[in-house]
Amino acid sequence: MTKTGADYAWFENDFPDIAEAYCFTLVRGLSPAELMSRLEGRPEAPLQGIAAVVDAAFAQYDLEEGDRWLP
C-alpha cells in the first residue's frame, strides 16, 4: 500500500508543538545518507524525546530571529 501525506495527518493533532516547528517530506528511493547529502544536512548530536526536539527547533528559530530557511 502506498502512503500519502494524509496517512500522517494524525501527527499535527498528537504533537502540535513539534508540528509547528518542523515540516515533513515523504521521500522515496533515497537512503537517509543520500537524502541528507542532497539537502546539505550536517551531523548533529541526537536529541532524545519530543521536548528536546521542540526546544532545539525553537532555539534555532530564535537564533534566526524568526526568519524561515528557504532553499
Side-chain angles (χ1 to χ4, degrees):
M1 184 170 130
T2 301
K3 296 282 186 181
T4 69
D7 293 307
Y8 301 95
W10 57 267
F11 187 83
E12 190 169 0
N13 290 330
D14 291 359
F15 302 103
D17 289 340
I18 199 169
E20 183 178 335
Y22 288 88
C23 89
F24 290 89
T25 303
L26 298 175
V27 177
R28 289 190 186 120
L30 296 177
S31 70
E34 187 175 1
L35 175 63
M36 292 308 295
S37 175
R38 289 186 184 193
L39 294 175
E40 299 179 9
R42 62 180 187 269
E44 302 259 342
L47 299 171
Q48 298 292 320
I50 293 294
V53 173
V54 171
D55 290 347
F58 282 106
Q60 187 63 40
Y61 180 83
D62 290 343
L63 286 174
E64 302 295 331
E65 298 179 347
D67 288 343
R68 293 178 182 257
W69 180 82
L70 299 172

